[in-house]
Coordinates of all heavy atoms in Angstrom, one line a residue:
M1 N -0.7 73.9 -6.4 CA -1.9 72.9 -6.5 C -2.6 73.2 -7.9 O -2.7 74.3 -8.4 CB -2.9 73.1 -5.5 CG -2.4 72.8 -4.1 SD -3.8 72.9 -2.9 CE -3.5 71.5 -1.9
T2 N -3.1 72.2 -8.4 CA -3.8 72.4 -9.7 C -5.2 72.8 -9.4 O -5.8 72.7 -8.3 CB -3.9 71.0 -10.4 OG1 -4.7 70.1 -9.7 CG2 -2.5 70.4 -10.7
R3 N -5.8 73.3 -10.5 CA -7.2 73.8 -10.5 C -8.2 72.8 -10.1 O -9.1 73.0 -9.3 CB -7.5 74.5 -11.8 CG -8.9 75.1 -11.8 CD -9.2 75.7 -13.2 NE -10.5 76.2 -13.2 CZ -11.5 75.6 -13.8 NH1 -11.4 74.4 -14.3 NH2 -12.7 76.2 -13.8
T4 N -7.9 71.5 -10.6 CA -8.9 70.4 -10.3 C -8.9 70.1 -8.8 O -9.9 69.8 -8.1 CB -8.5 69.2 -11.1 OG1 -8.5 69.5 -12.4 CG2 -9.4 68.1 -10.8
I5 N -7.7 70.1 -8.2 CA -7.5 69.8 -6.7 C -8.2 70.9 -5.9 O -9.1 70.6 -4.9 CB -6.1 69.6 -6.3 CG1 -5.5 68.3 -7.0 CG2 -6.0 69.5 -4.8 CD1 -4.1 68.1 -6.7
L6 N -8.0 72.1 -6.2 CA -8.6 73.3 -5.5 C -10.2 73.2 -5.6 O -10.9 73.4 -4.7 CB -8.1 74.6 -6.0 CG -6.6 74.9 -5.6 CD1 -6.2 76.2 -6.3 CD2 -6.5 75.0 -4.1
T7 N -10.6 73.0 -6.8 CA -12.1 72.8 -7.1 C -12.8 71.6 -6.3 O -13.8 71.8 -5.8 CB -12.4 72.7 -8.6 OG1 -11.7 73.8 -9.3 CG2 -13.9 72.8 -8.8
T8 N -12.0 70.5 -6.2 CA -12.5 69.4 -5.5 C -12.6 69.8 -4.0 O -13.6 69.4 -3.3 CB -11.6 68.2 -5.7 OG1 -11.5 67.9 -7.1 CG2 -12.1 67.0 -5.0
L9 N -11.5 70.4 -3.5 CA -11.5 70.8 -2.1 C -12.6 71.8 -1.8 O -13.3 71.8 -0.7 CB -10.2 71.4 -1.7 CG -9.0 70.4 -1.6 CD1 -7.7 71.1 -1.4 CD2 -9.3 69.4 -0.5
F10 N -12.9 72.8 -2.7 CA -14.0 73.7 -2.6 C -15.3 72.9 -2.5 O -16.2 73.3 -1.7 CB -13.9 74.7 -3.8 CG -15.1 75.6 -3.8 CD1 -15.1 76.8 -3.1 CD2 -16.2 75.2 -4.6 CE1 -16.3 77.6 -3.2 CE2 -17.3 76.1 -4.7 CZ -17.3 77.3 -4.0
T11 N -15.5 71.9 -3.4 CA -16.7 71.2 -3.5 C -17.0 70.4 -2.2 O -18.1 70.3 -1.8 CB -16.6 70.3 -4.7 OG1 -16.5 71.1 -5.9 CG2 -17.9 69.5 -4.8
L12 N -16.0 69.9 -1.6 CA -16.1 69.1 -0.4 C -16.3 69.9 0.9 O -17.0 69.5 1.8 CB -15.0 68.2 -0.3 CG -14.8 67.1 -1.4 CD1 -13.6 66.3 -1.2 CD2 -16.1 66.2 -1.4
F13 N -15.6 71.1 1.0 CA -15.5 71.7 2.3 C -16.1 73.0 2.4 O -16.6 73.5 3.5 CB -13.9 71.9 2.7 CG -13.3 70.6 2.9 CD1 -12.3 70.1 2.1 CD2 -13.7 69.8 4.0 CE1 -11.7 68.9 2.3 CE2 -13.0 68.5 4.2 CZ -12.1 68.1 3.4
F14 N -16.3 73.7 1.3 CA -17.0 75.1 1.4 C -18.5 75.0 1.8 O -18.9 75.9 2.5 CB -16.8 75.8 0.1 CG -17.0 77.3 0.2 CD1 -16.2 78.1 0.9 CD2 -18.2 77.9 -0.3 CE1 -16.4 79.4 1.1 CE2 -18.4 79.2 -0.2 CZ -17.5 80.0 0.5
P15 N -19.2 73.9 1.4 CA -20.6 73.9 2.0 C -20.6 73.8 3.5 O -21.5 74.4 4.2 CB -21.1 72.6 1.4 CG -20.4 72.5 0.1 CD -19.0 73.0 0.4
M16 N -19.6 73.2 4.1 CA -19.6 73.2 5.6 C -19.2 74.5 6.2 O -19.7 74.9 7.2 CB -18.6 72.1 6.1 CG -19.1 70.7 5.9 SD -18.3 69.4 6.9 CE -17.0 69.0 5.7
V17 N -18.3 75.3 5.5 CA -18.0 76.6 5.9 C -19.2 77.5 5.9 O -19.5 78.3 6.8 CB -16.8 77.2 5.1 CG1 -16.6 78.6 5.4 CG2 -15.5 76.4 5.3
V18 N -20.0 77.4 4.7 CA -21.2 78.3 4.6 C -22.2 77.9 5.7 O -22.8 78.7 6.4 CB -21.9 78.0 3.2 CG1 -23.2 78.7 3.1 CG2 -20.9 78.6 2.2
T19 N -22.4 76.6 6.0 CA -23.3 76.1 7.0 C -22.8 76.6 8.4 O -23.7 77.1 9.3 CB -23.3 74.6 7.0 OG1 -23.8 74.2 5.7 CG2 -24.3 74.1 8.0
F20 N -21.5 76.6 8.8 CA -21.0 77.0 10.0 C -21.3 78.5 10.2 O -21.8 78.9 11.2 CB -19.5 76.8 10.1 CG -18.9 77.4 11.3 CD1 -19.0 76.7 12.5 CD2 -18.2 78.6 11.3 CE1 -18.4 77.3 13.7 CE2 -17.7 79.1 12.4 CZ -17.8 78.5 13.6
I21 N -21.0 79.3 9.2 CA -21.3 80.8 9.2 C -22.7 81.0 9.4 O -23.1 81.9 10.3 CB -20.8 81.5 8.0 CG1 -19.2 81.4 7.9 CG2 -21.2 82.9 7.9 CD1 -18.6 81.8 6.6
Y22 N -23.6 80.3 8.7 CA -25.1 80.5 8.9 C -25.5 80.2 10.3 O -26.2 81.0 11.0 CB -25.8 79.7 7.9 CG -27.3 79.5 8.3 CD1 -28.2 80.5 8.1 CD2 -27.7 78.3 9.0 CE1 -29.4 80.4 8.6 CE2 -29.0 78.3 9.4 CZ -29.9 79.3 9.2 OH -31.2 79.1 9.7
L23 N -25.0 79.0 10.8 CA -25.5 78.6 12.1 C -24.9 79.5 13.2 O -25.6 79.8 14.2 CB -25.0 77.1 12.4 CG -25.7 76.1 11.7 CD1 -25.1 74.7 11.9 CD2 -27.2 76.1 12.1
F24 N -23.7 80.0 13.1 CA -23.2 80.8 14.1 C -23.8 82.2 14.2 O -24.3 82.6 15.2 CB -21.7 81.1 13.8 CG -21.0 82.0 14.8 CD1 -20.6 81.5 16.0 CD2 -20.7 83.3 14.5 CE1 -20.0 82.2 17.0 CE2 -20.1 84.1 15.5 CZ -19.8 83.6 16.7
F25 N -24.1 82.7 13.0 CA -24.9 84.1 13.0 C -26.4 84.0 13.3 O -27.0 84.9 13.7 CB -24.6 84.9 11.8 CG -23.2 85.4 11.8 CD1 -22.2 85.0 10.9 CD2 -22.8 86.4 12.7 CE1 -20.9 85.5 10.9 CE2 -21.5 86.9 12.8 CZ -20.5 86.4 11.8
S26 N -26.9 82.9 13.0 CA -28.4 82.7 13.2 C -28.7 82.3 14.6 O -29.8 82.4 15.1 CB -29.0 81.7 12.2 OG -28.5 80.3 12.6
R27 N -27.7 81.8 15.4 CA -28.0 81.4 16.8 C -27.3 82.1 17.8 O -27.4 81.9 19.0 CB -27.7 79.9 16.9 CG -28.6 79.1 16.0 CD -28.8 77.8 16.2 NE -29.9 77.1 15.6 CZ -30.3 77.1 14.4 NH1 -29.8 77.9 13.5 NH2 -31.2 76.4 13.9
W28 N -26.3 83.1 17.4 CA -25.7 83.9 18.4 C -25.8 85.3 18.0 O -25.7 85.6 16.8 CB -24.2 83.5 18.4 CG -23.4 84.3 19.4 CD1 -23.3 84.1 20.6 CD2 -22.7 85.5 19.0 NE1 -22.5 85.1 21.1 CE2 -22.1 86.0 20.2 CE3 -22.5 86.2 17.8 CZ2 -21.3 87.1 20.2 CZ3 -21.8 87.3 17.9 CH2 -21.2 87.8 19.1
P29 N -26.1 86.2 18.8 CA -26.4 86.0 20.3 C -27.8 85.7 20.5 O -28.2 85.5 21.7 CB -26.1 87.4 20.8 CG -26.4 88.4 19.7 CD -26.1 87.6 18.4
E30 N -28.7 85.7 19.6 CA -30.1 85.4 19.7 C -30.6 84.5 18.6 O -30.1 84.7 17.5 CB -30.8 86.7 19.7 CG -32.3 86.6 20.0 CD -32.9 88.0 19.9 OE1 -32.4 89.0 20.4 OE2 -34.0 88.1 19.3
R31 N -31.5 83.6 18.9 CA -32.0 82.6 17.8 C -33.1 83.4 17.2 O -34.2 83.5 17.7 CB -32.4 81.4 18.6 CG -31.3 80.7 19.1 CD -31.7 79.4 19.8 NE -30.5 78.9 20.5 CZ -30.5 78.3 21.7 NH1 -31.6 78.1 22.3 NH2 -29.4 78.0 22.2
W32 N -32.9 83.7 15.9 CA -33.9 84.5 15.2 C -34.3 83.8 13.9 O -35.0 84.4 13.1 CB -33.5 86.0 15.0 CG -32.1 86.1 14.5 CD1 -31.0 86.1 15.4 CD2 -31.7 86.4 13.3 NE1 -29.9 86.4 14.6 CE2 -30.3 86.6 13.3 CE3 -32.2 86.5 12.0 CZ2 -29.5 86.8 12.2 CZ3 -31.4 86.8 10.9 CH2 -30.1 86.9 11.0
F33 N -33.7 82.6 13.6 CA -34.1 81.9 12.4 C -34.9 80.6 12.8 O -34.9 80.2 13.9 CB -32.9 81.5 11.6 CG -32.3 82.6 10.8 CD1 -31.4 83.5 11.3 CD2 -32.8 82.8 9.5 CE1 -30.8 84.4 10.6 CE2 -32.3 83.9 8.8 CZ -31.3 84.7 9.3
T34 N -35.6 80.1 11.8 CA -36.5 78.9 12.0 C -35.9 77.7 11.5 O -34.9 77.7 10.8 CB -37.9 79.2 11.5 OG1 -37.7 79.3 10.0 CG2 -38.5 80.5 12.0
G35 N -36.6 76.6 11.6 CA -36.2 75.4 11.0 C -36.2 75.5 9.5 O -35.4 74.8 8.8
A36 N -37.2 76.2 9.0 CA -37.3 76.3 7.4 C -36.1 77.0 6.9 O -35.6 76.7 5.9 CB -38.6 77.0 7.2
S37 N -35.6 78.0 7.7 CA -34.4 78.7 7.2 C -33.2 77.8 7.3 O -32.2 78.0 6.5 CB -34.2 80.0 7.9 OG -33.9 79.8 9.3
D38 N -33.2 76.9 8.2 CA -32.1 75.9 8.3 C -32.0 75.1 7.0 O -31.0 74.8 6.5 CB -32.2 75.0 9.6 CG -31.9 75.8 10.8 OD1 -31.5 76.9 10.8 OD2 -32.2 75.2 11.9
W39 N -33.2 74.6 6.7 CA -33.3 73.8 5.4 C -32.9 74.6 4.2 O -32.2 74.1 3.3 CB -34.7 73.3 5.2 CG -35.0 72.1 6.1 CD1 -35.9 72.2 7.2 CD2 -34.5 70.8 6.1 NE1 -35.9 70.9 7.8 CE2 -35.1 70.1 7.2 CE3 -33.7 70.1 5.2 CZ2 -34.8 68.7 7.4 CZ3 -33.4 68.7 5.5 CH2 -34.0 68.1 6.6
L40 N -33.3 75.8 4.1 CA -32.9 76.7 3.1 C -31.4 76.9 3.0 O -30.8 76.9 2.0 CB -33.6 78.1 3.1 CG -33.3 79.1 2.0 CD1 -33.8 78.6 0.7 CD2 -34.0 80.4 2.3
A41 N -30.7 77.1 4.2 CA -29.3 77.3 4.2 C -28.6 76.1 3.8 O -27.6 76.2 3.1 CB -28.9 77.8 5.7
M42 N -29.1 75.0 4.2 CA -28.4 73.7 3.8 C -28.6 73.5 2.3 O -27.6 73.1 1.7 CB -29.0 72.5 4.5 CG -28.4 71.2 4.2 SD -28.8 69.8 5.4 CE -30.4 69.6 5.1
S43 N -29.7 73.9 1.7 CA -29.9 73.8 0.3 C -28.9 74.7 -0.5 O -28.3 74.4 -1.5 CB -31.4 74.1 -0.1 OG -32.2 73.2 0.5
V44 N -28.8 75.9 0.0 CA -27.9 76.9 -0.6 C -26.4 76.4 -0.5 O -25.6 76.4 -1.4 CB -28.0 78.2 0.1 CG1 -26.9 79.2 -0.3 CG2 -29.3 78.9 -0.2
A45 N -26.1 75.8 0.7 CA -24.7 75.2 0.8 C -24.5 74.1 -0.2 O -23.4 74.0 -0.8 CB -24.5 74.7 2.2
I46 N -25.5 73.2 -0.4 CA -25.3 72.2 -1.4 C -25.2 72.7 -2.8 O -24.4 72.2 -3.6 CB -26.5 71.1 -1.3 CG1 -26.4 70.4 0.0 CG2 -26.5 70.2 -2.4 CD1 -27.6 69.5 0.4
L47 N -26.0 73.7 -3.1 CA -25.9 74.4 -4.4 C -24.6 75.0 -4.7 O -24.0 74.9 -5.8 CB -27.0 75.4 -4.7 CG -28.4 74.8 -4.9 CD1 -29.5 75.9 -4.8 CD2 -28.5 74.0 -6.1
I48 N -24.0 75.6 -3.7 CA -22.7 76.1 -3.8 C -21.7 75.0 -4.1 O -20.8 75.1 -4.9 CB -22.2 76.9 -2.5 CG1 -23.1 78.2 -2.5 CG2 -20.7 77.2 -2.5 CD1 -23.0 79.0 -1.2
G49 N -21.8 73.9 -3.4 CA -20.9 72.7 -3.6 C -21.1 72.2 -5.0 O -20.2 71.8 -5.8
L50 N -22.4 72.2 -5.5 CA -22.7 71.8 -6.9 C -22.0 72.7 -7.9 O -21.5 72.1 -9.0 CB -24.2 71.7 -7.1 CG -24.9 70.4 -6.6 CD1 -26.3 70.6 -6.8 CD2 -24.4 69.2 -7.2
I51 N -21.9 73.9 -7.6 CA -21.2 74.8 -8.6 C -19.8 74.4 -8.7 O -19.2 74.3 -9.9 CB -21.3 76.3 -8.1 CG1 -22.8 76.8 -8.3 CG2 -20.4 77.2 -8.9 CD1 -23.0 78.1 -7.6
G52 N -19.1 74.0 -7.7 CA -17.8 73.5 -7.7 C -17.7 72.1 -8.4 O -16.8 71.9 -9.2
L53 N -18.7 71.3 -8.2 CA -18.7 70.0 -8.9 C -18.8 70.1 -10.4 O -18.2 69.5 -11.1 CB -19.9 69.2 -8.3 CG -20.0 67.8 -8.8 CD1 -18.9 66.8 -8.4 CD2 -21.3 67.2 -8.5
W54 N -19.7 71.1 -10.8 CA -20.0 71.2 -12.2 C -18.8 71.9 -12.9 O -18.7 71.9 -14.1 CB -21.2 72.1 -12.4 CG -22.5 71.4 -12.0 CD1 -22.7 70.0 -11.9 CD2 -23.7 71.9 -11.6 NE1 -23.9 69.7 -11.5 CE2 -24.6 70.9 -11.3 CE3 -24.1 73.2 -11.4 CZ2 -25.9 71.1 -10.8 CZ3 -25.4 73.4 -10.9 CH2 -26.2 72.4 -10.6
A55 N -17.9 72.6 -12.1 CA -16.7 73.2 -12.7 C -15.6 72.2 -12.9 O -14.6 72.6 -13.6 CB -16.2 74.4 -11.8
L56 N -15.7 71.0 -12.4 CA -14.7 70.0 -12.6 C -14.7 69.5 -14.0 O -15.8 69.4 -14.6 CB -14.9 68.8 -11.6 CG -14.6 69.0 -10.1 CD1 -15.1 67.9 -9.3 CD2 -13.2 69.3 -9.9
P57 N -13.5 69.2 -14.5 CA -13.5 68.7 -15.9 C -13.9 67.3 -16.0 O -13.0 66.3 -16.1 CB -11.9 68.9 -16.2 CG -11.2 68.7 -14.9 CD -12.2 69.3 -13.9
L58 N -15.2 67.0 -16.0 CA -15.8 65.7 -16.1 C -16.6 65.6 -17.4 O -17.2 66.6 -17.8 CB -16.6 65.4 -14.9 CG -16.0 65.4 -13.6 CD1 -17.1 65.3 -12.5 CD2 -15.0 64.2 -13.4
K59 N -16.8 64.4 -17.8 CA -17.7 64.1 -19.0 C -19.1 64.3 -18.5 O -19.4 64.2 -17.3 CB -17.5 62.7 -19.5 CG -16.1 62.5 -20.1 CD -15.9 61.2 -20.7 CE -14.5 61.1 -21.3 NZ -14.2 59.7 -21.8
P60 N -20.0 64.7 -19.3 CA -21.4 64.9 -18.9 C -22.0 63.8 -18.2 O -22.7 64.0 -17.1 CB -22.1 65.2 -20.3 CG -21.1 65.7 -21.1 CD -19.8 65.0 -20.8
W61 N -21.8 62.5 -18.6 CA -22.3 61.4 -17.9 C -21.8 61.3 -16.5 O -22.6 61.1 -15.5 CB -22.0 60.1 -18.7 CG -22.3 58.9 -18.0 CD1 -21.5 58.0 -17.4 CD2 -23.7 58.4 -17.6 NE1 -22.2 57.0 -16.8 CE2 -23.5 57.2 -16.9 CE3 -25.0 58.9 -17.8 CZ2 -24.5 56.5 -16.4 CZ3 -26.0 58.1 -17.3 CH2 -25.8 57.0 -16.6
Y62 N -20.5 61.5 -16.2 CA -19.9 61.4 -15.0 C -20.4 62.6 -14.1 O -20.6 62.5 -12.9 CB -18.4 61.4 -15.0 CG -17.9 60.2 -15.6 CD1 -16.9 60.2 -16.6 CD2 -18.3 58.9 -15.2 CE1 -16.4 59.1 -17.2 CE2 -17.8 57.7 -15.7 CZ -16.8 57.8 -16.8 OH -16.3 56.7 -17.3
R63 N -20.6 63.7 -14.7 CA -21.0 64.9 -14.0 C -22.4 64.7 -13.4 O -22.8 65.0 -12.3 CB -21.0 66.2 -14.8 CG -21.3 67.4 -14.1 CD -21.1 68.6 -15.0 NE -19.7 68.8 -15.1 CZ -19.1 69.2 -16.3 NH1 -19.9 69.4 -17.4 NH2 -17.8 69.3 -16.4
A64 N -23.3 64.1 -14.3 CA -24.7 63.8 -13.8 C -24.7 62.7 -12.7 O -25.4 62.8 -11.8 CB -25.5 63.3 -15.1
L65 N -23.8 61.7 -12.9 CA -23.7 60.7 -11.8 C -23.2 61.3 -10.5 O -23.7 61.0 -9.5 CB -22.8 59.5 -12.3 CG -22.6 58.4 -11.3 CD1 -23.9 57.7 -11.0 CD2 -21.6 57.4 -11.8
A66 N -22.2 62.1 -10.6 CA -21.6 62.8 -9.5 C -22.6 63.6 -8.8 O -22.7 63.8 -7.6 CB -20.4 63.6 -9.8
T67 N -23.5 64.4 -9.5 CA -24.5 65.2 -9.0 C -25.6 64.4 -8.2 O -26.0 64.7 -7.2 CB -25.2 66.1 -10.1 OG1 -24.2 66.9 -10.7 CG2 -26.3 66.9 -9.5
F68 N -25.9 63.3 -8.9 CA -26.9 62.3 -8.3 C -26.4 61.8 -6.9 O -27.2 61.6 -6.0 CB -27.1 61.2 -9.3 CG -28.2 60.2 -8.8 CD1 -29.5 60.6 -8.8 CD2 -27.8 58.9 -8.4 CE1 -30.5 59.7 -8.3 CE2 -28.7 58.0 -8.0 CZ -30.0 58.4 -7.9
L69 N -25.1 61.5 -6.8 CA -24.5 61.0 -5.6 C -24.2 62.1 -4.6 O -24.3 61.9 -3.4 CB -23.2 60.2 -5.8 CG -23.5 59.0 -6.7 CD1 -22.1 58.4 -7.1 CD2 -24.3 58.0 -6.0
Y70 N -23.8 63.3 -5.1 CA -23.3 64.3 -4.2 C -24.5 64.9 -3.4 O -24.3 65.2 -2.2 CB -22.7 65.4 -5.0 CG -22.2 66.7 -4.3 CD1 -21.0 66.7 -3.7 CD2 -23.0 67.8 -4.1 CE1 -20.5 67.7 -3.0 CE2 -22.5 68.9 -3.5 CZ -21.3 68.9 -2.8 OH -20.9 69.9 -2.1
V71 N -25.6 65.2 -4.0 CA -26.7 65.8 -3.3 C -27.2 65.1 -2.0 O -27.2 65.7 -1.0 CB -27.9 66.1 -4.3 CG1 -29.1 66.7 -3.5 CG2 -27.4 67.2 -5.3
P72 N -27.5 63.8 -2.1 CA -27.9 63.1 -0.8 C -26.8 63.0 0.1 O -26.9 63.1 1.3 CB -28.5 61.8 -1.3 CG -28.0 61.6 -2.7 CD -27.7 62.9 -3.3
A73 N -25.6 62.7 -0.4 CA -24.4 62.5 0.6 C -24.0 63.8 1.3 O -23.9 63.8 2.5 CB -23.2 62.0 -0.3
M74 N -24.0 64.9 0.5 CA -23.7 66.1 1.2 C -24.8 66.6 2.1 O -24.6 67.2 3.2 CB -23.4 67.3 0.2 CG -22.9 68.6 0.8 SD -21.5 68.5 1.9 CE -20.2 68.2 0.7
G75 N -26.1 66.4 1.7 CA -27.2 66.6 2.5 C -27.2 65.9 3.9 O -27.4 66.5 4.9
A76 N -26.9 64.6 3.9 CA -26.7 63.8 5.1 C -25.5 64.3 5.9 O -25.7 64.5 7.2 CB -26.6 62.4 4.7
L77 N -24.5 64.7 5.3 CA -23.3 65.2 6.0 C -23.6 66.5 6.6 O -23.2 66.7 7.8 CB -22.1 65.3 5.0 CG -20.8 65.8 5.6 CD1 -20.2 64.8 6.5 CD2 -19.8 66.1 4.5
L78 N -24.2 67.4 5.9 CA -24.5 68.7 6.5 C -25.5 68.6 7.6 O -25.4 69.4 8.6 CB -25.0 69.7 5.4 CG -23.9 70.2 4.4 CD1 -24.6 71.1 3.4 CD2 -22.9 70.9 5.2
A79 N -26.5 67.7 7.5 CA -27.5 67.5 8.6 C -26.8 67.0 9.8 O -27.1 67.6 10.9 CB -28.6 66.6 8.1
Y80 N -26.0 66.0 9.7 CA -25.2 65.6 10.8 C -24.3 66.7 11.4 O -24.2 66.8 12.6 CB -24.4 64.4 10.4 CG -23.7 63.7 11.5 CD1 -24.5 63.0 12.5 CD2 -22.3 63.6 11.6 CE1 -23.8 62.3 13.5 CE2 -21.7 62.9 12.6 CZ -22.4 62.3 13.6 OH -21.8 61.6 14.6
F81 N -23.6 67.4 10.5 CA -22.7 68.5 10.9 C -23.5 69.6 11.7 O -23.1 70.0 12.7 CB -22.0 69.1 9.7 CG -21.2 70.3 9.9 CD1 -20.0 70.1 10.6 CD2 -21.5 71.5 9.5 CE1 -19.2 71.2 10.9 CE2 -20.7 72.6 9.8 CZ -19.5 72.4 10.4
M82 N -24.7 69.9 11.2 CA -25.5 70.9 11.8 C -25.9 70.5 13.2 O -25.9 71.2 14.2 CB -26.7 71.2 11.0 CG -26.4 72.0 9.7 SD -27.9 72.1 8.6 CE -28.6 73.7 9.2
L83 N -26.4 69.2 13.4 CA -26.8 68.7 14.6 C -25.7 68.8 15.6 O -25.8 69.1 16.8 CB -27.4 67.3 14.5 CG -28.8 67.2 13.8 CD1 -29.1 65.7 13.6 CD2 -29.8 67.8 14.7
L84 N -24.5 68.3 15.2 CA -23.3 68.3 16.1 C -22.9 69.7 16.5 O -22.6 69.9 17.7 CB -22.2 67.4 15.5 CG -22.4 66.0 15.4 CD1 -21.2 65.3 14.7 CD2 -22.6 65.4 16.8
L85 N -22.9 70.5 15.5 CA -22.4 71.9 15.8 C -23.4 72.7 16.7 O -22.8 73.3 17.7 CB -22.3 72.6 14.5 CG -21.6 74.0 14.6 CD1 -20.2 73.9 14.9 CD2 -21.8 74.8 13.2
V86 N -24.6 72.5 16.5 CA -25.6 73.2 17.4 C -25.5 72.7 18.8 O -25.6 73.4 19.8 CB -27.0 73.1 16.8 CG1 -28.1 73.6 17.8 CG2 -27.1 74.0 15.6
C87 N -25.4 71.3 18.9 CA -25.3 70.7 20.2 C -24.0 71.2 20.9 O -24.1 71.5 22.1 CB -25.3 69.2 20.0 SG -25.3 68.3 21.6
D88 N -22.9 71.1 20.2 CA -21.6 71.4 20.8 C -21.4 72.9 21.1 O -21.0 73.3 22.3 CB -20.5 71.0 19.9 CG -19.1 71.1 20.6 OD1 -19.1 70.7 21.7 OD2 -18.2 71.6 19.9
M89 N -21.8 73.8 20.2 CA -21.6 75.2 20.5 C -22.6 75.9 21.4 O -22.3 76.8 22.1 CB -21.5 75.9 19.1 CG -20.2 75.8 18.4 SD -20.2 76.6 16.7 CE -20.2 78.3 17.3
F90 N -23.9 75.5 21.2 CA -25.0 76.2 21.9 C -25.7 75.4 22.9 O -26.6 75.8 23.5 CB -26.0 76.7 20.9 CG -25.3 77.5 19.7 CD1 -25.1 77.0 18.4 CD2 -24.9 78.8 20.1 CE1 -24.5 77.8 17.5 CE2 -24.3 79.6 19.1 CZ -24.1 79.0 17.8
G91 N -25.3 74.1 23.1 CA -26.0 73.2 24.1 C -27.4 72.8 23.7 O -28.1 72.4 24.6
D92 N -27.8 73.0 22.4 CA -29.1 72.6 22.0 C -29.1 71.2 21.4 O -29.2 71.1 20.2 CB -29.6 73.7 21.0 CG -30.8 74.5 21.4 OD1 -31.3 74.2 22.5 OD2 -31.2 75.4 20.7
C93 N -29.1 70.3 22.3 CA -29.0 68.9 21.7 C -30.3 68.2 21.7 O -31.3 68.6 22.4 CB -28.1 68.0 22.7 SG -26.5 68.7 23.0
L94 N -30.5 67.3 20.7 CA -31.7 66.5 20.6 C -31.7 65.5 21.6 O -30.8 64.8 21.9 CB -31.9 66.0 19.2 CG -32.1 67.1 18.0 CD1 -32.2 66.5 16.7 CD2 -33.4 67.8 18.4

């Protein structure tokens, strides 16, 4: 695989891996994190994805546009992923 494909896969999927690890360890065996730490974890996951996005061989204009689109899209995806994961794994549904 080329470096560009691996970086793109990292950018798309690694934030969900980070979020999964955070949610698993923050809610099992005992819930010891707050909603604020959930937002912080989601922000860190998005920043990790942005590192991969910025490593892609894009022109500066496209990189800025991709960043502008990536942050809200990944934020919405991670929020939905977090809600489904917590509901499915721990039975804490809204």
Side-chain angles (χ1 to χ4, degrees):
M1 292 185 143
T2 66
R3 181 178 178 262
T4 303
I5 292 172
L6 289 174
T7 306
T8 303
L9 290 174
F10 172 86
T11 301
L12 294 175
F13 295 110
F14 198 68
M16 286 197 276
V17 172
V18 169
T19 303
F20 174 81
I21 291 169
Y22 163 76
L23 286 174
F24 182 76
F25 286 111
S26 69
R27 295 198 166 47
W28 177 85
E30 181 179 318
R31 295 180 187 140
W32 44 280
F33 280 92
T34 64
S37 65
D38 290 349
W39 285 106
L40 181 64
M42 188 166 61
S43 300
V44 168
I46 292 172
L47 286 174
I48 289 171
L50 281 176
I51 291 170
L53 180 73
W54 294 333
L56 289 171
L58 298 172
K59 294 179 180 179
W61 170 250
Y62 293 131
R63 186 172 290 138
L65 180 63
T67 299
F68 181 73
L69 296 173
Y70 179 84
V71 171
M74 185 55 75
L77 179 70
L78 286 178
Y80 187 67
F81 177 71
M82 290 170 91
L83 287 172
L84 288 178
L85 187 70
V86 168
C87 181
D88 189 44
M89 283 181 67
F90 306 107
D92 244 356
C93 303
L94 290 179

